[in-house]
Amino acid sequence: MKISEVIDLTYEDLLIEADDNDLITKEKDLPVSKGRIKGNRIAINRSLSETEKKCVLAEELGHYHTANGNILDQSSVPNRKLEQRGRIYAYNKLVGIMGIIQAFKDGCRTCYEIAEYLEVTEEFLDDALRYYKQRYGTGTKIDNYMIMFEPSISVAEIYC
C-alpha cells in the first residue's frame, strides 16, 4: 500500500460497510459495554462520542470478519485470541502503519495529534501502537520510512 492510498474512514463509512455486509447496526443504551455483535446485529452504546463509536464499530466489524459464535467468556484462551483478532482488524483499518506515516508526513508529532489526525481516540491509538510494537519490535522499515515505537512513536524518511 502506498501512502497516497491511506483512506480516512468515518463512522458513517463504517455504518455503510456494516449495511453492505447485511449487518443491522443500532445505537442503544448499553450498561456494561461500548459495543456488541450477535449474529447480524451490532449494538453501539449511544452515549459515546462519534469518534468512540467509530472505534467500537470498527472492532465489532472485526469480530464479524474474524470470529464465529459467542466470545464473551474472556476466561477462555481461544475467546481472548478471537477478541484480539477483532481489535487488530480495527487497528489496521483505522490506524495502520501507513496511517502513522501519513500523519507524520502531515506534521503530527504527538500521540494526541496523530489520534486527532486519524480521528480515533487516544486510547485506541495507544492500544494500536502497543500492538504494533508487539508485532514489529522497537521499530520497522516500510518503503522509505523507518517507524520507531520506542522511546516514543517517531517516523523518519530514509533517503538512498
Side-chain angles (χ1 to χ4, degrees):
M1 174 183 283
K2 297 293 179 200
I3 292 184
S4 60
E5 295 173 3
V6 174
I7 298 172
D8 182 24
L9 293 171
T10 65
Y11 179 55
E12 185 66 30
D13 293 329
L14 294 175
L15 288 169
I16 291 167
E17 179 182 333
D19 189 57
D20 289 346
N21 283 281
D22 297 321
L23 299 171
I24 300 163
T25 306
K26 300 268 185 192
E27 293 184 15
K28 304 174 78 170
D29 292 322
L30 298 174
V32 181
S33 67
K34 294 179 180 181
R36 285 287 152 121
I37 184 167
K38 184 175 183 181
N40 72 332
R41 303 177 73 78
I42 297 174
I44 304 291
N45 193 324
R46 78 174 75 211
S47 68
L48 301 175
S49 70
E50 182 122 341
T51 301
E52 290 171 309
K53 288 176 187 176
K54 174 183 167 180
C55 296
V56 170
L57 182 53
E59 183 179 331
E60 298 309 325
L61 286 168
H63 292 314
Y64 170 75
H65 290 296
T66 65
N68 289 323
N70 183 339
I71 63 169
L72 293 175
D73 178 9
Q74 290 296 293
S75 65
S76 159
V77 172
N79 285 357
R80 285 196 305 271
K81 287 181 179 181
L82 289 171
E83 177 69 25
Q84 184 65 11
R85 276 168 137 186
R87 289 182 181 171
I88 291 167
Y89 177 94
Y91 301 152
N92 290 330
K93 189 167 198 68
L94 299 183
V95 176
I97 295 294
M98 300 310 280
I100 294 167
I101 292 170
Q102 188 62 52
F104 264 81
K105 282 186 68 157
D106 287 345
C108 300
R109 295 297 177 263
T110 67
C111 285
Y112 173 81
E113 291 171 341
I114 297 168
E116 286 287 308
Y117 180 86
L118 296 173
E119 298 178 355
V120 297
T121 65
E122 285 184 83
E123 177 185 10
F124 186 88
L125 177 65
D126 287 343
D127 291 343
L129 293 175
R130 226 179 340 272
Y131 163 71
Y132 292 136
K133 181 181 169 189
Q134 178 185 10
R135 178 171 181 196
Y136 297 110
T138 57
T140 189
K141 181 180 177 291
I142 305 285
D143 294 334
N144 293 335
Y145 295 91
M146 186 69 194
I147 300 96
M148 298 302 298
F149 301 106
E150 283 190 358
S152 62
I153 185 72
S154 63
V155 177
E157 188 167 7
I158 302 168
Y159 299 99
C160 297

